[in-house]
Amino acid sequence: MAKHASLFAYAGLMHTSIQRLKVDDTDQALQLETRVVAFPWTRAVWEHSLQKDWAIGVRHDGHLAAVAVFSLVADEVTLLNIAVAREYQGQGLARRLLSHGLEYFAARGGRECFLEVRESNRAAKRLYRKFGFEKVGQRRNYYPSEEGSEDACVMACDIQAALAQNLV
């Protein structure tokens, strides 16, 4: 029965729209991220990003199922955060949000997208490589961790090349 419920949820998620998030979504974004990462953004960071950056999300049954936050400076896009609720992971929501963001910024002059990802986050790095992201650097002791700190893998992608190769 649970397997069928999951299939129905998946089918429903594929027909949900991606929405622009606002500062009113702070509580839901914070709750979502707190459930999926050990060291989430603070309320103040979420409020700032929802006011100043470009944040999008997918809702299911009135709750955020996934969220992504991007910024644009000149022609450089940065993926600041992406999180998917555990019950919706593996259903393509991160891929949809990343694709939507890259297409949005390509249409607004974005040429390159940067991001940092935990070295240990293999699933995220695999997703980013599918979009043409490549490792361009490393930030030592960038993320807090249970052991103290963890390095970040800095990745970048040429947005126009990714679009041309149908990677987005």
Side-chain angles (χ1 to χ4, degrees), residues 50-159:
L50 292 174
Q51 287 174 3
K52 302 292 184 190
D53 298 315
W54 192 75
I56 53 175
V58 174
R59 293 185 195 285
H60 188 253
D61 291 334
H63 298 285
L64 275 179
V67 60
V69 182
F70 298 83
S71 71
L72 175 67
V73 176
D75 62 354
E76 286 187 6
V77 178
T78 302
L79 174 62
L80 300 171
N81 197 341
I82 191 164
V84 178
R86 289 202 196 289
E87 62 268 30
Y88 302 112
Q89 290 180 0
Q91 297 181 25
L93 293 182
R95 180 190 54 74
R96 283 182 61 202
L97 290 172
L98 184 56
S99 179
H100 188 82
L102 293 177
E103 289 174 354
Y104 176 87
F105 285 109
R108 286 153 183 80
R111 295 186 178 272
E112 199 164 21
C113 184
F114 293 89
L115 61 86
E116 288 99 9
V117 60
R118 287 181 182 271
E119 282 289 352
S120 63
N121 194 340
R122 290 188 197 124
K125 290 194 297 188
R126 190 170 36 254
L127 171 68
Y128 300 142
R129 282 192 294 272
K130 288 180 183 177
F131 280 84
F133 282 87
E134 296 180 358
K135 184 174 181 174
V136 295
Q138 183 175 23
R139 298 192 198 286
R140 291 257 181 236
N141 304 314
Y142 186 76
Y143 290 108
S145 74
E146 298 296 329
E147 295 78 34
S149 64
E150 180 177 356
D151 293 348
C153 173
V154 181
M155 301 181 83
C157 123
D158 179 320
I159 297 172

Side-chain angles (χ1 to χ4, degrees), residues 20-30 41 43-56 64 67-69:
R20 179 83 190 264
L21 300 180
K22 299 178 178 108
V23 74
D24 294 346
D25 297 304
T26 298
D27 288 338
Q28 283 195 32
L30 181 60
W41 281 2
R43 172 175 298 285
V45 171
W46 273 110
E47 286 175 350
H48 176 80
S49 282
L50 292 174
Q51 287 174 3
K52 302 292 184 190
D53 298 315
W54 192 75
I56 53 175
L64 275 179
V67 60
V69 182

Side-chain angles (χ1 to χ4, degrees), residues 9-42:
Y10 176 74
L13 286 173
M14 296 319 301
H15 299 290
T16 56
S17 63
I18 294 173
Q19 304 169 346
R20 179 83 190 264
L21 300 180
K22 299 178 178 108
V23 74
D24 294 346
D25 297 304
T26 298
D27 288 338
Q28 283 195 32
L30 181 60
Q31 289 170 5
L32 184 158
E33 191 185 28
T34 299
R35 291 192 325 261
V36 296
V37 298
F39 300 93
W41 281 2
T42 64

